[in-house]
Amino acid sequence: MAQHQFQTEVSRLLHLIIHSLYSNREIFLRELVSNASDALDKLKYLTVADDAFKTINFDPRIDISFNKDAKTLTVSDNGIGMNEAELIDSLGTIARSGTRAFLEKLAEDAKKDSNLIGQFGVGFYSAFMVADRIEVISRKAAGEAAWKWSSDGKESFDIESAERDSQGTTVILHLTDEGTEYANRWSIEDIIKRYSNHVAFPIYLTYEEKEWDDKGKEKGSKTKTDRINSGTALWRRAKAELKEEDYNEFYKQLGHDTDEPLHYIHTKAEGTLEYSTLFYIPQKAPFDMYNADYKPGVKLYVKRVFITDDDKELMPVWLRFVRGIIDSEDLPLNVSREILQQNKILLNIKNASVKKLLSEFKSMADNAASGSAEVKEKWETFISQFNRPLKEGLYSDFANRDAIQELVRFKSTAVEGRTSFADYVSRMKSDQKHIYYISGSDEKTLRASPLLEAYRAREIEVLIMDDEIDDIVIPSLHSYRQTKDAPDGGADGKTESQSWELKAVNRVGADEELGEKKDKDAEKEAKPVIEKIKKALGERVKDVKLSRRLHDSPSCIVADENDPSLQMAQMLKAMGQTEMPDFKPILEVNGEHPIVAGLRDVDDEERIADVAGVLLDQALLVEGAKLKDPADFVKRINRLLAK
């Protein structure tokens, strides 16, 4: 017998599970059954696709039994199984980032709800909520040796050789006193029917049934084994046969979630290609949605045979929040990972699935515009959770860009909540030619920006883009195009298209539509002051100009048309682009502001330098930038105050 120490994060995880998570302990059985189902899926595929496994006598099943007197509950499968190294790796260490994220989430969450377990992919350990010791006996398919893993869930686990007649895994839980409530037929049947009824393999429960004589006296008992799940591939059944409860139950098993899905889309295609899809949109974004090593949420089946659940090619990256099933009748069963990435059949299914999802999202948006409060809340939940990945689609999925741009939402200076491009256009002034936006990292800072003063005065709406991805996505979009049916209703198939350029108010040239003609006299009068400020600032700025967009503030900064914005420059540096030159803004000054106008008759170079420095630094601060030399800024302020 060899003793191994748990990985540090696993020890901490187990301590939290055992001592903190009690709100929904019954999910431990769902997790164990789900693991067994995955093991059966993997072996089923190998028996079809790999010659080394084709000779295995494989009749997939999951067996559950219990012994109330011995306080044990056993879950067994005849799936792929594990060897010694896999037992250590799978049950003693967690190399993925999921554990760390799970622990961080627990630290934040006052409720410490156990439904987090399944979401973070650490379901096996949930069994320690009801057991003070667990034994796992496993034999790898096509292997001869069996091994036993055992632990009390504290600091270490033991590995030793064992005996098992065939491939598969047996998990034996030694239940705590509280855990014995699950060592009975009725509790187990209830949990399986609620969480695992649609597992594609038969689940059998073995129990002792008492026998009674004619007088009602117990005369003994006999061992019975009953199948306790329906075990049908739900996605292959007709929609007319299914109820919403069926879809919800299947999602909870598929997505390891205790929440019901926000939305589901069930499709059966027949014709050139024959396939079934069942997609779910979760209530909440997956915890790893912004991790590079995110876990894909879509499983691929061929003729109901599981192929893979970790292929990121099944969905575009921007739809990585989607959970579900793709089941094809046309793909070969022995399709490899490399073949999948280039397979035209799968590419066509993927493209059709994306268009179907986009169509459903558009229906959700349209229904929210005229629907009940519940329908509107559903759409708001969707946007609050998945607006950002939709924006990624604008940048990365050119083929579907027109459809995606109708879905993304932005905050605005004109309305509460979020608005669409289409709604913005519907509110535009008749003579307005562009869609205006301001981007940055903080909504409050953006709304207070002096750059908005002239737009606000003229009641021109500006979109507030406070997501860091906006600075990448929106410039690549360039314009918003709206396509409508022709005036005759589009009966002849004709449509009309109109587009509006997207203009960033924090760039040069965005003020051209503000309706103010350049005042030659004002420019001539301000020129000496502009020259003084430009000379004082030197290399700190790219240029100094008289502003047409300022009303109350003395100064603001904008970026040149071809330069990265302040936010983009900060983002690139944070990503390690250390060779990137410093951001050089264009400083715009309000010639009518007393601070600027006061420099007309000033010849003191030190005072001019102090005023110019403060005008630039305060403009940078207002836009959320960090000053390179805060101490110098304070000194300038103090000198000016003293004078």
Side-chain angles (χ1 to χ4, degrees):
M1 180 186 296
Q3 189 176 74
H4 302 261
Q5 292 297 119
F6 277 120
Q7 183 187 29
T8 303
E9 288 184 352
V10 176
S11 295
R12 187 174 161 216
L13 173 67
L14 290 170
H15 178 81
L16 281 168
I17 287 175
I18 296 168
H19 294 93
S20 303
L21 304 180
Y22 293 107
S23 65
N24 194 16
R25 293 185 303 172
E26 64 191 25
I27 59 98
F28 82 91
L29 189 55
R30 177 195 73 186
E31 296 300 318
L32 295 181
V33 168
S34 183
N35 290 344
S37 175
D38 288 343
L40 293 169
D41 265 331
K42 289 170 183 174
L43 183 55
K44 185 177 180 181
Y45 169 64
L46 291 173
T47 57
V48 176
D50 194 324
D51 290 338
F53 296 88
K54 287 182 178 179
T55 58
I56 292 177
N57 183 19
F58 183 51
D59 180 21
R61 62 184 286 161
I62 300 170
D63 284 279
I64 302 174
S65 61
F66 61 89
N67 186 321
K68 195 151 193 173
D69 294 331
K71 297 201 298 186
T72 62
L73 190 153
T74 303
V75 178
S76 182
D77 67 74
N78 60 341
I80 189 69
M82 291 176 280
N83 57 30
E84 181 184 15
E86 288 169 333
L87 277 170
I88 295 171
D89 185 57
S90 298
L91 305 185
T93 63
I94 299 183
R96 293 178 293 116
S97 59
T99 313
R100 186 182 300 276
F102 174 72
L103 293 171
E104 290 172 354
K105 182 67 177 175
L106 279 182
E108 297 170 5
D109 194 343
K111 296 180 181 178
K112 292 185 169 61
D113 194 346
S114 59
N115 67 4
L116 293 169
I117 288 172
Q119 296 174 19
F120 285 83
V122 289
F124 168 79
Y125 302 108
S126 64
F128 281 106
M129 290 193 293
V130 298
D132 53 20
R133 184 167 186 80
I134 298 177
E135 296 173 356
V136 179
I137 301 169
S138 192
R139 177 177 165 182
K140 183 82 171 182
E144 297 295 329
W147 298 90
K148 181 169 81 169
W149 178 100
S150 58
S151 176
D152 59 5
K154 293 179 181 176
E155 296 180 353
S156 63
F157 59 92
D158 296 321
I159 295 284
E160 59 185 304
S161 61
E163 296 293 329
R164 200 177 196 280
D165 294 336
S166 62
Q167 85 283 342
T169 301
T170 300
V171 181
I172 305 168
L173 309 184
H174 295 269
L175 302 170
T176 61
D177 290 339
E178 293 85 359
T180 55
E181 68 176 288
Y182 301 106
N184 68 80
R185 173 189 174 187
W186 313 112
S187 292
I188 293 171
E189 283 191 4
D190 177 61
I191 294 170
I192 294 300
K193 288 188 184 299
R194 278 192 289 129
Y195 293 120
S196 307
N197 198 38
H198 300 294
V199 168
F201 303 103
I203 302 173
Y204 294 97
L205 174 63
T206 300
Y207 59 95
E208 294 293 320
E209 184 176 68
K210 293 180 179 179
E211 295 183 316
W212 311 88
D213 60 20
D214 296 339
K215 296 180 180 179
K217 289 185 179 181
E218 184 179 339
K219 65 177 184 179
S221 63
K222 64 178 180 180
T223 302
K224 288 194 67 176
T225 300
D226 293 336
R227 180 169 176 171
I228 56 174
N229 72 316
S230 63
T232 56
L234 178 136
W235 62 90
R236 300 292 289 262
R237 293 167 60 187
K239 286 189 275 189
E241 298 177 12
L242 298 169
K243 298 178 181 178
E244 186 171 350
E245 292 80 3
D246 297 319
Y247 286 110
N248 292 344
E249 285 178 12
F250 181 70
Y251 166 74
K252 291 175 182 179
Q253 180 265 321
L254 175 76
H256 298 279
D257 202 344
T258 53
D259 289 332
E260 294 180 351
L262 184 69
H263 193 70
Y264 59 83
I265 306 104
H266 188 185
T267 303
K268 183 173 178 61
E270 296 176 331
T272 308
L273 291 177
E274 188 174 343
Y275 62 89
S276 299
T277 60
L278 176 55
F279 297 126
Y280 290 97
I281 311 304
Q283 291 271 1
K284 297 176 182 176
F287 79 96
D288 61 349
M289 188 163 73
Y290 298 114
N291 291 358
D293 61 343
Y294 71 90
K295 174 74 173 172
V298 176
K299 294 185 177 186
L300 175 65
Y301 286 76
V302 174
K303 300 180 179 71
R304 282 183 268 189
V305 176
F306 171 77
I307 303 299
T308 182
D309 62 356
D310 63 353
D311 193 332
K312 295 182 179 179
E313 298 297 319
L314 297 177
M315 274 286 150
V317 175
W318 63 273
L319 281 173
R320 59 190 177 276
F321 57 86
V322 174
R323 299 292 182 250
I325 302 286
I326 294 174
D327 190 352
S328 170
E329 290 291 319
D330 303 299
L331 286 167
L333 280 170
N334 61 347
V335 64
S336 68
R337 179 74 54 83
E338 291 72 27
I339 293 174
L340 277 178
Q341 294 175 358
Q342 302 173 13
N343 189 280
K344 289 185 178 180
I345 293 174
L346 188 59
L347 180 62
N348 289 334
I349 294 174
K350 175 182 174 179
N351 290 339
S353 296
V354 170
K355 292 188 182 301
K356 179 63 177 177
L357 285 164
L358 286 170
S359 174
E360 287 290 324
F361 298 161
K362 182 66 165 58
S363 294
M364 288 170 64
D366 292 343
N367 293 338
S370 57
S372 64
E374 184 179 354
V375 173
K376 291 178 181 177
E377 184 180 357
K378 179 179 179 179
W379 172 248
E380 287 300 320
T381 299
F382 175 80
I383 284 298
S384 69
Q385 296 296 313
F386 307 117
N387 198 36
R388 179 170 169 176
L390 287 179
K391 290 178 183 178
E392 293 176 24
L394 280 177
Y395 182 79
S396 61
D397 193 342
F398 186 81
N400 293 298
R401 177 176 282 184
D402 286 351
I404 300 171
Q405 70 177 355
E406 299 297 339
L407 300 172
V408 292
R409 296 293 187 263
F410 304 97
K411 295 167 186 172
S412 167
T413 58
V415 293
E416 293 291 327
R418 293 181 174 91
T419 189
S420 65
F421 283 133
D423 287 340
Y424 179 103
V425 168
S426 71
R427 293 189 293 267
M428 281 173 54
K429 291 177 173 291
S430 58
D431 58 344
Q432 187 176 332
K433 300 175 182 177
H434 307 297
I435 295 174
Y436 293 101
Y437 70 92
I438 183 170
S439 61
S441 57
D442 179 71
E443 180 185 355
K444 186 177 179 181
T445 299
L446 293 176
R447 289 188 182 278
S449 173
L451 293 166
L452 299 181
E453 290 175 359
Y455 299 92
R456 193 176 290 117
R458 287 160 183 75
E459 297 182 343
I460 295 176
E461 182 176 358
V462 178
L463 296 177
I464 306 292
M465 301 195 178
D466 58 345
D467 195 327
E468 60 185 17
I469 198 175
D470 291 330
D471 260 321
I472 300 173
V473 171
I474 303 305
S476 73
L477 188 61
H478 185 66
S479 63
Y480 165 66
R481 186 177 66 179
Q482 193 175 70
T483 303
K484 293 182 178 180
D485 290 337
D488 62 355
D492 56 359
K494 291 183 179 180
T495 58
E496 290 184 343
S497 181
Q498 187 176 1
S499 64
W500 294 266
E501 186 179 353
L502 299 167
K503 286 262 189 180
V505 302
N506 51 356
R507 286 198 177 275
V508 168
D511 57 352
E512 294 173 357
E513 199 179 347
L514 290 176
E516 288 188 0
K517 295 180 180 179
K518 289 186 178 181
D519 189 328
K520 298 295 183 182
D521 292 336
E523 283 192 337
K524 185 177 180 180
E525 186 177 353
K527 186 174 181 181
V529 176
I530 299 293
E531 292 297 329
K532 289 178 183 179
I533 296 173
K534 186 185 297 188
K535 180 182 177 182
L537 293 176
E539 293 298 313
R540 290 189 65 191
V541 294
K542 195 166 188 176
D543 199 2
V544 180
K545 294 183 176 181
L546 185 66
S547 179
R548 289 184 292 179
R549 66 185 100 209
L550 293 174
H551 276 213
D552 303 318
S553 300
S555 62
C556 66
I557 57 166
V558 294
D560 201 0
E561 194 65 36
N562 298 315
D563 289 348
S565 67
L566 171 63
Q567 289 73 29
M568 177 64 78
Q570 290 174 332
M571 190 189 312
L572 291 172
K573 284 202 171 186
M575 293 167 62
Q577 302 279 350
T578 54
E579 300 299 318
M580 183 176 173
D582 290 336
F583 169 71
K584 275 194 175 184
I586 293 173
L587 179 69
E588 290 193 358
V589 295
N590 181 354
E592 297 179 2
H593 195 280
I595 293 177
V596 178
L599 291 178
R600 289 172 186 165
D601 301 322
V602 176
D603 296 320
D604 183 349
E605 291 188 358
E606 182 183 55
R607 184 176 177 186
I608 294 171
D610 285 342
V611 172
V614 169
L615 287 172
L616 175 60
D617 286 344
Q618 71 176 10
L620 287 166
L621 285 171
V622 167
E623 296 305 317
K626 291 183 179 180
L627 299 183
K628 275 192 171 182
D629 193 349
D632 181 66
F633 174 66
V634 172
K635 287 177 183 177
R636 292 182 187 278
I637 289 285
N638 289 337
R639 283 198 294 266
L640 290 172
L641 287 172
K643 292 178 181 179

